[in-house]
Amino acid sequence: MKKSKFIYLGIIFLITFIIIFLFSDISPNKKNDPLKILFIGNSYTFNNELPILVKEMKKEKNWNLSIEIKAFTPGGAKLKDHLNSPFTLETIRNGNWDIIVIQGHSLEPLMNPIGFNNAATDLLKITKESGAVVYLFETWSRAKDNSIYNEAWSGRNPESMQKKLSMKYNEIAQNSNVTVIPIGSIWQKIMTENKEIELYSMDGSHPSQIGSYLTACIIYKYIFNEDPMKLNYIPSGVKESEAKILRQYATTFGSTTVKNDL
């Protein structure tokens, strides 16, 4: 009788183990797979090794996690350039990416809004079909007194330029059902409230090391759904007092994202 009971319990245990193994999201193979992230953009993403900053932030809290990063960031590239690159498209389709972050040219939505919309829509369709979770990297306005504010299409000032950029990125995100990372909007808020923090490099367009750190904190928050305020990682060129302020803005800024269905 006892022997039959032990056999019965053994069978139940074996069946339970098989069910857990087959239906668990964390099988041995999946657990050892690297987290794969692809960045598509230009020098705004390339400068100060932004993808590596994001990787270092994630590794700080997950030191045993394997992370694979790849970035296609040729200077001045527009979304149409990426869309017309067979190598980029092949990488998207066959890279088995978990996350793809897409950044367009800083002036593309303003100078050629129709072309930007068409290229973004097509590129987002391809990236979503790859199975990755896709994010749009909202760019920032140029620094005050930049020469582009002589052009009417720019909005004439940083506040108006950012409003136009944000509106365009959110419009595309709504239509394609992806998430916008509101980087430019957070930059604008800091430039309004903390003028002593210099987010730009000397050209008034590209990010300084401080600007790239802020951008990395924002991306970290959105793609990993983790609190930047709990980070300790600070790259060289950023003061601890500055880093604390930047992480606070990245954490508390209101979400403008769209639910991603991937």
Side-chain angles (χ1 to χ4, degrees):
M1 186 72 167
K2 287 185 178 180
K3 185 176 180 181
S4 298
K5 183 177 181 181
F6 283 133
I7 292 173
Y8 174 78
L9 290 174
I11 292 173
I12 294 298
F13 176 83
L14 179 61
I15 292 173
T16 302
F17 176 82
I18 291 172
I19 291 174
I20 292 173
F21 179 82
L22 290 177
F23 292 95
S24 174
D25 287 334
I26 308 177
S27 65
N29 287 336
K30 286 185 178 180
K31 188 175 181 180
N32 294 326
D33 284 346
L35 177 66
K36 301 185 68 175
I37 307 174
L38 175 63
F39 287 83
I40 297 173
N42 53 41
S43 55
Y44 274 27
T45 295
F46 174 82
N47 275 30
N48 305 309
E49 297 184 315
L50 173 64
I52 301 302
L53 297 181
V54 176
K55 178 179 179 178
E56 289 300 318
M57 291 175 179
K58 184 62 176 175
K59 291 287 286 184
E60 178 190 308
K61 301 299 181 184
N62 303 267
W63 59 269
N64 61 340
L65 175 66
S66 176
I67 303 177
E68 180 180 331
I69 297 279
K70 182 169 283 190
F72 291 124
T73 56
K78 300 178 176 63
L79 294 188
K80 184 178 180 180
D81 298 322
H82 290 294
L83 189 62
N84 291 333
S85 168
F87 185 69
T88 302
L89 297 182
E90 179 72 11
T91 301
I92 292 170
R93 288 172 171 144
N94 299 315
N96 194 30
W97 304 102
D98 297 297
I99 296 168
I100 298 178
V101 180
I102 299 175
Q103 173 245 315
H105 189 279
S106 59
L107 303 181
E108 194 177 358
L110 308 180
M111 297 183 71
N112 184 16
I114 295 176
F116 175 71
N117 182 78
N118 292 340
T121 299
D122 291 344
L123 191 58
L124 288 170
K125 182 176 185 294
I126 292 168
T127 51
K128 289 181 68 177
E129 288 173 349
S130 74
V133 178
V134 183
Y135 295 87
L136 267 177
F137 176 132
E138 177 196 274
T139 57
W140 48 82
S141 61
R142 297 291 172 90
K144 186 180 179 181
D145 299 326
N146 192 284
S147 61
I148 71 159
Y149 294 124
N150 295 325
E151 306 292 338
W153 50 260
S154 70
R156 301 292 190 186
N157 58 67
E159 294 79 11
S160 295
M161 179 177 176
Q162 189 58 56
K163 185 176 181 180
K164 294 175 73 171
L165 286 170
S166 300
M167 183 172 63
K168 195 62 184 174
Y169 271 99
N170 279 282
E171 175 187 323
I172 291 171
Q174 289 282 351
N175 292 337
S176 298
N177 195 28
V178 298
T179 297
V180 177
I181 305 178
I183 297 165
S185 299
I186 298 176
W187 272 55
Q188 186 60 50
K189 188 172 179 61
I190 289 181
M191 287 186 289
T192 300
E193 298 178 356
N194 287 275
K195 294 181 172 62
E196 70 280 5
I197 294 181
E198 186 51 72
L199 301 178
Y200 297 97
S201 61
M202 293 292 291
D203 66 0
S205 172
H206 290 85
S208 64
Q209 182 68 63
I210 296 172
S212 290
Y213 180 72
L214 169 64
T215 302
C217 287
I218 301 166
I219 293 174
Y220 172 84
K221 172 191 173 182
Y222 276 81
I223 69 175
F224 300 128
N225 193 30
E226 295 180 12
D227 184 0
M229 286 299 293
K230 297 179 179 179
L231 291 170
N232 295 311
Y233 171 71
I234 304 173
S236 60
V238 180
K239 297 176 183 177
E240 187 172 348
S241 58
E242 294 169 332
K244 183 177 180 180
I245 294 171
L246 299 175
R247 292 194 297 260
Q248 183 70 41
Y249 273 95
T251 299
T252 59
F253 187 85
S255 173
T256 60
T257 60
V258 178
K259 185 179 182 296
N260 201 310
D261 63 351
L262 294 179

